[in-house]
Amino acid sequence: MEYQEYISLLEAFRLSLTAENDSEVNKIIDQINETIANLKTGKYHAMALTQEVFEVIDLVNKDMAFKGLKLNAYQSKAWNRLKEKAYQSYSQDRNALGFSGAFGVN
């Protein structure tokens, strides 16, 4: 996935969260801002790029699972698009590097 696509998806999700007044959501927004900055500077490449985005995904998943974060319809749409692209990119990166089937994992 190109950087700009990740940046656009992250910005859309960040925008959907800005109306929330919650310290946990602010942590997510901070992580998104850091990730966007790193993508814009080209700090990450290939799988490291995907990992940077997965840090945002992990933070949101933990907040939804353990802290009761609820997403409205717009937030859910932006969130699902971001996750879908990240998992798709991860699969492509993994296959390109030949990790398919490593350690018995397909």
Side-chain angles (χ1 to χ4, degrees):
M1 174 186 297
E2 292 194 23
Y3 298 156
Q4 189 55 47
E5 191 173 4
Y6 269 131
I7 291 168
S8 296
L9 291 169
L10 286 163
E11 286 175 340
F13 186 56
R14 178 185 63 195
L15 182 62
S16 75
L17 295 175
T18 56
E20 303 294 324
N21 188 19
D22 181 287
S23 62
E24 296 303 321
V25 172
N26 290 336
K27 290 178 188 176
I28 294 168
I29 291 171
D30 289 343
Q31 181 64 46
I32 290 171
N33 289 336
E34 180 180 332
T35 301
I36 289 170
N38 289 337
L39 292 172
K40 285 183 177 180
T41 61
K43 182 176 177 181
Y44 293 97
H45 301 283
M47 286 194 65
L49 166 71
T50 304
Q51 181 59 38
E52 178 77 4
V53 175
F54 270 107
E55 288 183 28
V56 172
I57 291 171
D58 185 53
L59 185 59
V60 175
N61 283 339
K62 286 179 181 175
D63 281 357
M64 286 193 298
F66 301 114
K67 297 178 182 170
L69 176 65
K70 303 281 187 226
L71 301 178
N72 64 33
Y74 178 74
Q75 292 167 333
S76 292
K77 184 176 179 177
W79 173 240
N80 288 331
R81 288 182 62 213
L82 175 63
K83 283 192 319 183
E84 180 182 295
K85 291 296 181 182
Y87 288 123
Q88 181 182 54
S89 180
Y90 171 75
S91 295
Q92 289 171 349
D93 290 345
R94 192 178 109 189
N95 290 338
L97 293 173
F99 290 138
S100 177
F103 307 107
V105 176
N106 288 326

